[in-house]
Amino acid sequence: MRIMALDIGETRVGVAVSDPGERVASPVCVLPAAEVIACAKPFRRLLEDWEPELFLCGLPFTLAGEEGSQAARIRGVADALSKACGVPHEFADERLSSQEAKRSLREKGLTEREMRGKIDMIAASLFLQAWLDARR
């Protein structure tokens, strides 16, 4: 089953996918949040290209393990996307995934400006990979 991870932010949504065997997560792209929420053509094209059977949406938890302040908004967006696209969804802990993505990109020598469009898709691939690994 192919899983599409969505790191849903207020401005951007990072997208990553798993292979059909659910072993490896790969970053795909970053789209404007408004396009994803509206199921605009670029997002629909991604759905056609990758044919996900499940959305895995990152849910921000605090370090204490409680849902963060953005969790309710993300739950609402995920529910609406599932209904609009006919793809079920689950949630994964995305705690610290953005910081890990930044660290990884910094190690590759990217500047803050170069990182801007990449962090969200790398973060999505990180929490997707952790979720895949936990299921095995």
Side-chain angles (χ1 to χ4, degrees):
M1 166 169 70
R2 187 172 311 271
I3 300 155
M4 180 175 280
L6 302 173
D7 184 14
I8 302 168
E10 290 184 31
T11 307
R12 293 178 292 277
V13 175
V15 180
V17 296
S18 73
D19 65 303
E22 299 180 32
R23 295 194 180 284
V24 178
S26 301
V28 174
C29 67
V30 175
L31 293 174
E35 288 183 5
V36 174
I37 292 167
C39 290
K41 195 172 192 172
F43 185 62
R44 287 195 321 266
R45 191 173 306 129
L46 273 182
L47 296 177
E48 291 169 9
D49 289 349
W50 294 102
E51 299 178 339
E53 296 174 60
L54 176 72
F55 289 142
L56 183 67
C57 303
L59 202 58
F61 284 90
T62 65
L63 292 178
E66 299 167 355
E67 288 191 10
S69 60
Q70 293 292 316
R73 182 186 65 80
I74 290 169
R75 283 186 182 279
V77 170
D79 289 345
L81 279 176
S82 265
K83 287 177 186 158
C85 302
V87 177
H89 68 283
E90 289 186 27
F91 295 98
D93 184 355
E94 69 163 12
R95 187 178 359 188
L96 304 177
S97 62
S98 293
Q99 288 84 349
E100 178 65 21
K102 281 183 182 179
R103 187 190 61 72
S104 172
L105 292 170
R106 223 177 264 119
E107 284 178 0
K108 292 180 180 177
L110 274 71
T111 65
E112 289 290 324
R113 186 177 203 172
E114 293 167 326
M115 282 189 241
R116 199 170 298 140
K118 297 175 177 65
I119 292 169
D120 301 304
M121 70 177 175
I122 300 295
S125 70
L126 290 171
F127 71 73
L128 174 56
Q129 188 65 57
W131 186 84
L132 293 170
D133 292 345
R135 286 182 41 149
R136 276 192 271 186

